[in-house]
């Protein structure tokens, strides 16, 4: 049974292919189109998934779209009616978008992917999210919470996942849902916009900014929304305009409550914050505290409704690693699982898995152990590419030599690109398309932020740590199964020794968004970090995604080279090839080359 | 410089005194050039990756490195002329490095891609020569005349190799294909400009029409909606939890 899942037309379009219950490939369209958060039909990603399995669209049994377009359209129309006449600015814009494209989703899928209307199915948005978490989890039964901006109508849902009713496949039962416009995800996005960051992109920055502040706007946030004892949420809409305005998601009332909004792009220096910068950091901290408090209340309700010992979490809010950790530690559930592509991209995977196991009743396979579901490039192809291009590079005879050389360079303070195997599913670099540096070096964070990633100086970097060394550097819950850190889905405190030795990956509040590397599931990256450990005694590397600010993660060697030449990276490793920065060719040498081609 | 249709050199000569009149404007224009060159570099890198021909791959790669270097030169000049930029801090740094790929090679195929590169480089070269003359004639004090002269020289290499490729293909009996590719690029440029104008006009007309519809049709329905279906607070429970997992429901978009 071949099922292709598709998410598209909002943000983070993606495709995922499941063959007989096994996830064969999954990728976001942005990795191929190079448009960040590409929302278009993921034709390139779908083509890749099929090619990876050696299949064509004719071999696919079902193409499953991750939401119900007409139900979503109903919500849009009802929203305009409710807000009449204040929704006038938004109405022409949103209706033009829907009439122009989104109403014809089925036709678009058939035209773009080459499938037939009979192949196409639709899964509800939050059900797709729920399936993406539960059906990838190691749990046979679990409570499932999905929290994001909004799907069709639902903004927050509680499901119960378990075996299928007739013993086949799986079941996912909806128990309760909150409806638009009451949404913690939209509130988070509105405050993100208030803090001068881009919605659907800047939420990470707000999370990174929060530790620089204190939650002293608790009372003001209590006016923005009410969190019920049953985990419900009621937003006071007089502070927000996301439900009626196309571009501005908050009202002047919010600025009267919290003070003037930050001008996008204006300088922000929370490291030595004072005045306005401190106020913005405090607002971010207050928002983070509210989000955590809300998720804990929600988890309490989910536990009460389901009685299950384990929890799966999905939706954009599940990418809030700080809240995930608090939920894992303080929530009522014994274990927590978050799938690495918890946002809308993950909907593609969820839709495909839902059709496979819930709708068609195929038995569940192994839980997700790694996120390397993207495209790979063979060593020979990379050698040919670099050779044809005339790039000077070294080829290592075996991986051990390569790892020792890279470890040496990193230990000496160099920063390098690391391109290995299939690229990652989800927003995090987990050792396939990474920029790596020595976490012990003071000032390394500033260097990588400013000279390599070109992003705000206050943003932290994640450590990748060997499984066996994790407890030495980070305060993990010993003995408790940990499903979060292999996918970098949790922020944990750094131990005292860690804070002294690893300044470049320790955030201002003494925490880090750690990636724990297990050799069984990530052997290439593990061996590199192990080589670094042998040289330095520290089995930790600074690991950040191989891209520049606001660009998608690199997919191919050429894109990696594009990052290399545009940034201050010292070296680039493509499989077993090493490329170094070298001085520009002499002017005369270049002129000679040009002469060969000059038109007569 | 392949990413945008540059204005003709005559137009550049005419408007240069107006456009390049203050340090802030000069820096902003240079930043624009830097972004274009960086975007071109990404497109040329992708072309180098996708082509199977080693000779072409090397040419495209060289071209990409040239464009990346031009972007750096423009960025450095912009920063030298207006060190603070339009805003300070990380955002400004980032603006100087951001680039967008247009996936031209995938969209056009080899011959049309090379035709596009040739025509765009030809235009870019003449534009940079015009700017070289403009800055050499004045005393800008920023060495921009020399910068444009250097870059125009390198653009000639791009014009030359792309022109030679087209000429070689013509000689190999692909003259019709090359002619069609060049014609399509020229036509596409004009068509794209027309389409952009049409899109702007159509967009405004649609919004006006929908705005009118909103004001005429919606008031009555809005009233009914408010009476029948107010905003719901709190949990909604017991919605057809089992129905949503059936094939019949899965076929529905609603």
């Amino acid at each position: 049974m071949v099922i292709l899942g598709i998410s598209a037309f909002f943000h983070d379009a993606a495709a995922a292919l499941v063959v007989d219950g096994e996830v064969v490939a999954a990728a976001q369209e942005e990795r191929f189109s190079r448009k960040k958060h590409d929302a278009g039909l993921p034709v390139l990603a779908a083509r890749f998934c099929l090619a990876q399995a050696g299949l064509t669209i004719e071999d696919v049994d079902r193409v499953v779209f991750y939401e119900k377009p007409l139900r979503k359209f109903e919500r849009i129309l009802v929203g305009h009616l409710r807000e009449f006449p204040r929704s006038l600015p938004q109405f022409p814009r949103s209706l033009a978008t829907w009439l122009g494209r989104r109403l014809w989703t089925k036709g678009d899928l058939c035209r773009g992917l080459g499938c037939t209307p009979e192949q196409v199915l639709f899964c509800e948005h939050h059900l797709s999210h729920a399936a993406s978490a539960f059906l990838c989890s190691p749990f046979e039964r679990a409570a499932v919470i999905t929290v994001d901006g909004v799907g069709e109508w639902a903004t927050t849902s509680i499901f119960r996942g378990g075996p299928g009713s007739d013993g086949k496949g799986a079941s996912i039962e909806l128990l309760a849902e909150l409806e638009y416009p009451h949404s913690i995800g939209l509130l988070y996005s509105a405050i993100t916009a208030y803090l001068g960051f881009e919605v659907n992109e800047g939420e990470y920055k707000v999370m990174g900014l929060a530790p620089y502040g204190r939650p002293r706007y608790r009372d003001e946030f209590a006016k923005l929304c009410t969190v019920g004892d049953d985990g419900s949420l009621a937003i006071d809409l007089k502070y927000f305009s996301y439900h009626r305005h196309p571009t501005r998601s908050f009202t002047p009332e919010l600025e009267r409550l919290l003070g003037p909004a930050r001008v996008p792009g204006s300088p922000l220096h929370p490291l030595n914050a004072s005045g306005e910068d401190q106020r913005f950091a405090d607002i971010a901290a207050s928002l983070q505290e509210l989000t955590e408090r809300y998720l804990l209340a929600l988890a309490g309700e989910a536990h009460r409704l389901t009685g299950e010992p384990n929890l799966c979490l999905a939706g954009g809010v599940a990418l809030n690693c700080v809240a995930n950790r608090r939920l894992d530690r303080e929530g009522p559930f014994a274990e927590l699982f978050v799938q690495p592509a918890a946002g809308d991209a993950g909907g593609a995977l969820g839709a495909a898995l839902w059709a496979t196991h819930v709708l068609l009743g195929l038995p569940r396979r192994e839980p997700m152990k790694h996120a390397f579901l993207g495209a790979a490039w063979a060593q020979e192809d990379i050698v040919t590419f670099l050779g044809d291009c005339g790039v000077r590079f070294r080829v290592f005879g075996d991986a051990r030599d390569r790892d020792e050389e890279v470890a040496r360079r990193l230990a000496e303070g160099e920063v390098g690109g690391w391109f290995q195997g299939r690229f990652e599913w989800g927003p995090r670099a987990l050792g396939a398309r990474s920029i790596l540096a020595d976490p012990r070096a003071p000032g390394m964070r500033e260097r990588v932020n400013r000279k390599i990633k070109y992003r705000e100086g206050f943003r932290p970097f994640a450590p990748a740590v060997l499984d066996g060394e994790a407890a030495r550097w980070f305060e993990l819950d010993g003995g408790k199964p940990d499903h979060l850190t292999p996918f970098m889905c949790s922020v944990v405190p750094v131990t005292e020794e860690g804070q002294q030795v690893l300044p470049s990956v320790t955030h201002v509040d003494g925490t880090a968004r750690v990636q724990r590397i297990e050799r069984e599931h990530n052997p290439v990256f593990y061996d590199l970090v192990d080589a670094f450990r042998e040289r330095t005694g520290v089995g930790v590397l600074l690991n950040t995604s191989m891209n520049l600010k606001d660009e998608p993660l690199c997919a191919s060697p050429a894109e990696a080279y594009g990052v290399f030449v545009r940034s201050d990276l010292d070296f680039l490793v493509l499989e077993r090839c090493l490329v170094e920065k070298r001085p520009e060719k002499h002017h005369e040498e270049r002129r000679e080359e040009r002469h060969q081609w000059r038109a007569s | 410089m392949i990413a945008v249709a540059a204005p003709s050199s005559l137009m550049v000569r005419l408007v240069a005194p107006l456009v390049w009149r203050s340090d802030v404007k000069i820096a902003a224009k240079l930043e624009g050039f830097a972004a274009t060159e960086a975007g071109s570099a990404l497109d040329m890198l992708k072309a180098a990756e996708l082509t199977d021909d080693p000779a072409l791959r090397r040419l495209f790669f060289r071209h990409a490195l040239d464009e990346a270097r031009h972007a750096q030169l423009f960025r450095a000049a912009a920063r030298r002329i207006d060190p603070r930029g339009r805003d300070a801090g990380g955002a400004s740094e980032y603006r100087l490095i951001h680039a967008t790929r247009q996936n031209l090679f995938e969209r056009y195929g080899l011959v049309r891609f090379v035709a596009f590169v040739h025509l765009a480089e030809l235009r870019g070269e003449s534009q940079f020569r015009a700017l070289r003359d403009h800055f050499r004639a004045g005393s800008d004090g920023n060495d921009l005349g020399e910068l444009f002269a250097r870059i125009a020289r390198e653009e000639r290499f791009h014009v030359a190799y792309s022109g030679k490729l087209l000429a070689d293909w013509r000689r190999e009996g692909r003259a019709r294909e090359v002619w069609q590719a060049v014609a399509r690029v020229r036509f596409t440029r004009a068509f794209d400009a027309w389409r952009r104008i049409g899109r702007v006009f159509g967009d405004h007309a649609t919004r006006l029409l929908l705005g009118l519809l909103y004001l005429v049709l919606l008031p009555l329905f809005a009233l009914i909606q408010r009476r029948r279906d107010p905003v719901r607070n709190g949990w909604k429970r017991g919605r057809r939890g089992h129905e949503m997992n059936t094939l019949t429901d899965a076929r529905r978009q609603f």
Side-chain angles (χ1 to χ4, degrees), chain A residues 32-34 62 68-71 74 78 80-88 91-93 95-96 99 106 118 121-122 124 127 156 158 172-179 181-182 230-232 265 267 298 301 304-305 354 358-359 384-385 387-391 454 548-551 556-559 561-562 565-566 584 590 593-594 597-599, chain B residues 38 42 45-46 48-49 52-54 57-59 61-62 65-66 68-69 72 75 87-91 93-94 97-101 103 106 150 153-154 156-157 160-161 164-165 203 206-208 210-211 213-215 218-219 221-222 225-226 229-242 244-247 249-254:
Chain A
F32 301 96
S33 68
R34 305 302 298 161
R62 300 287 183 196
K68 303 264 192 187
L70 295 187
R71 189 170 300 157
E74 179 204 28
V78 170
H80 287 305
L81 291 175
R82 278 178 184 165
E83 290 301 318
F84 184 88
R86 287 181 299 183
S87 54
L88 176 61
F91 181 81
R93 187 182 289 219
L95 220 67
L99 293 174
K106 195 170 190 175
E118 292 70 37
L121 299 176
F122 298 88
E124 287 193 21
L127 187 56
T156 305
I158 298 174
I172 301 176
E173 181 192 356
L174 174 67
L175 301 176
E177 60 187 354
L178 282 180
E179 285 193 347
H182 301 296
D230 62 351
S232 63
L298 192 56
E301 179 68 2
R304 191 188 67 76
L305 283 178
W354 169 78
V358 179
L359 206 58
T384 306
F385 172 73
D388 286 352
C389 291
V391 176
Y454 297 94
L548 302 185
K549 180 173 174 269
D550 293 347
E551 291 182 11
S556 71
E559 286 150 17
Y561 201 87
V565 294
R566 288 184 300 141
E584 268 198 53
R590 280 213 316 276
E593 273 190 21
R594 283 204 306 274
W597 287 98
R598 186 152 294 164
Chain B
L42 295 183
L45 267 177
K46 191 66 184 173
E49 181 182 272
D52 293 327
D53 184 325
R57 178 171 278 169
R58 194 180 181 101
L59 282 169
F61 188 77
R62 262 302 316 275
L65 293 190
D66 282 350
R69 193 174 54 256
Q72 281 168 1
R75 276 197 298 270
D87 52 61
E93 281 291 306
Y94 166 62
I97 199 80
H98 184 59
T100 308
R101 192 174 83 195
N103 300 319
E106 291 132 299
R150 179 182 171 185
R153 262 198 311 274
E154 294 189 356
R156 280 175 65 194
F157 161 61
Y161 90 76
K164 187 171 184 307
L165 286 173
D203 197 36
T206 306
R207 287 189 190 184
L208 184 67
L210 289 170
L213 273 177
Y214 181 89
L215 293 171
L218 260 64
F221 293 104
Q225 173 66 33
R226 275 182 207 170
D229 189 18
V231 177
R232 277 189 293 266
N233 287 355
W235 290 108
K236 186 178 168 190
R237 299 177 201 267
R239 185 168 69 88
R240 30 173 220 96
H242 293 290
M244 66 202 288
N245 289 323
T246 64
L247 196 58
D249 187 70
R251 290 188 197 283
R252 282 199 287 258
Q253 296 189 55
F254 192 82

Side-chain angles (χ1 to χ4, degrees), chain B:
Chain B
M1 186 184 207
I2 63 167
V4 291
S8 73
S9 57
L10 177 65
M11 181 70 86
V12 171
R13 281 173 215 280
L14 289 173
V15 302
L18 296 171
V19 174
W20 301 83
R21 66 178 188 279
S22 73
D23 280 356
V24 174
K25 284 191 183 299
I26 289 172
K29 287 292 286 182
L30 291 174
E31 282 176 15
F33 282 148
T36 305
E37 297 280 345
S40 304
L42 295 183
D43 263 292
M44 295 308 302
L45 267 177
K46 191 66 184 173
E49 181 182 272
L50 292 176
T51 186
D52 293 327
D53 184 325
L56 285 180
R57 178 171 278 169
R58 194 180 181 101
L59 282 169
F60 292 159
F61 188 77
R62 262 302 316 275
H63 189 158
L65 293 190
D66 282 350
E67 301 287 30
R69 193 174 54 256
H70 295 173
Q72 281 168 1
L73 290 170
F74 281 130
R75 276 197 298 270
R79 254 186 280 207
R80 199 171 58 240
I81 291 168
D82 184 16
R84 286 195 327 108
R86 277 170 290 185
D87 52 61
S92 160
E93 281 291 306
Y94 166 62
R95 203 180 56 241
L96 293 174
I97 199 80
H98 184 59
T100 308
R101 192 174 83 195
Q102 298 183 69
N103 300 319
L104 293 170
F105 190 85
E106 291 132 299
R107 280 163 51 201
Y108 289 174
L110 176 62
V111 178
R112 201 170 147 203
F113 175 75
V114 172
F116 183 92
V117 169
H118 183 65
L119 292 176
E121 293 293 336
L122 208 57
R123 231 171 150 80
E125 188 222 351
S126 70
Q127 185 186 3
F128 288 147
R129 272 194 287 118
L131 288 168
R132 175 199 63 190
D133 296 343
H134 169 76
F135 283 104
R136 276 182 176 169
S139 53
D140 64 289
N142 288 316
D143 292 333
L144 288 181
E146 291 316 304
L147 173 69
F148 283 116
R150 179 182 171 185
I151 291 176
R153 262 198 311 274
E154 294 189 356
E155 299 285 15
R156 280 175 65 194
F157 161 61
H158 306 151
V159 173
Y161 90 76
S162 54
K164 187 171 184 307
L165 286 173
L166 294 173
D168 286 349
W169 289 331
R170 279 194 198 99
R171 270 198 302 277
E172 288 166 10
R174 298 168 71 183
R176 187 177 169 76
E177 191 186 352
V178 170
W179 181 85
Q180 280 176 338
V182 172
R184 280 190 76 183
V185 170
R186 290 203 165 112
F187 172 75
T188 304
R189 184 176 289 164
F191 181 69
D192 282 350
W194 178 83
R195 210 167 51 170
R196 272 196 299 275
I197 295 167
R199 193 176 291 154
V200 171
F201 177 77
D203 197 36
H204 279 92
T206 306
R207 287 189 190 184
L208 184 67
L209 191 67
L210 289 170
L212 285 172
L213 273 177
Y214 181 89
L215 293 171
V216 173
L217 277 182
L218 260 64
L220 178 64
F221 293 104
L223 199 66
I224 297 168
Q225 173 66 33
R226 275 182 207 170
R227 283 175 183 275
R228 285 187 52 190
D229 189 18
V231 177
R232 277 189 293 266
N233 287 355
W235 290 108
K236 186 178 168 190
R237 299 177 201 267
R239 185 168 69 88
R240 30 173 220 96
H242 293 290
E243 273 177 40
M244 66 202 288
N245 289 323
T246 64
L247 196 58
T248 313
D249 187 70
R251 290 188 197 283
R252 282 199 287 258
Q253 296 189 55
F254 192 82

Side-chain angles (χ1 to χ4, degrees), chain A residues 158-173:
Chain A
I158 298 174
F159 297 85
R160 180 194 288 119
S165 54
D166 51 358
K168 289 186 193 165
S171 70
I172 301 176
E173 181 192 356

